[in-house]
């Protein structure tokens, strides 16, 4: 996923920790970050909610991280 690693690194969160927080394995997080696996709609929302950014920001469609809530 385009900005997942960037967001995780900015917050000094390991793949293992993020996986535990979201109920995923470290391997799954790694695959999302490398593009070996694509996230479904629910997973995208989980990442966006966790990092408090919009899905569009997460995917690199905008440089504005703010959500429209």
């Amino acid at each position: 996923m385009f900005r997942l690693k960037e967001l995780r690194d900015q917050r000094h969160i390991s793949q293992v920790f993020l996986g535990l927080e979201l109920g995923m394995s470290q391997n799954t997080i790694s695959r999302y970050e490398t593009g070996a696996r694509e996230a479904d709609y629910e997973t995208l929302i989980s990442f966006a909610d966790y990092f408090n950014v919009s899905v569009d920001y997460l995917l690199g469609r905008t440089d504005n991280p703010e959500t429209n809530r």
Side-chain angles (χ1 to χ4, degrees), residues 19-62:
L20 289 171
E21 289 283 291
L22 298 177
M24 300 176 196
S25 71
Q26 177 273 328
N27 189 43
T28 299
I29 299 296
S30 176
R31 287 178 159 195
Y32 287 135
E33 288 184 358
T34 62
R37 181 175 182 166
E38 289 190 19
D40 60 19
Y41 182 71
E42 290 178 11
T43 303
L44 287 172
I45 291 172
S46 294
F47 286 133
D49 286 348
Y50 183 84
F51 290 107
N52 196 31
V53 297
S54 69
V55 171
D56 282 341
Y57 180 79
L58 186 64
L59 294 174
R61 295 186 58 193
T62 183

Side-chain angles (χ1 to χ4, degrees), residues 12-25:
H12 308 288
I13 297 171
S14 70
Q15 290 178 343
V16 172
F17 183 82
L18 182 59
L20 289 171
E21 289 283 291
L22 298 177
M24 300 176 196
S25 71

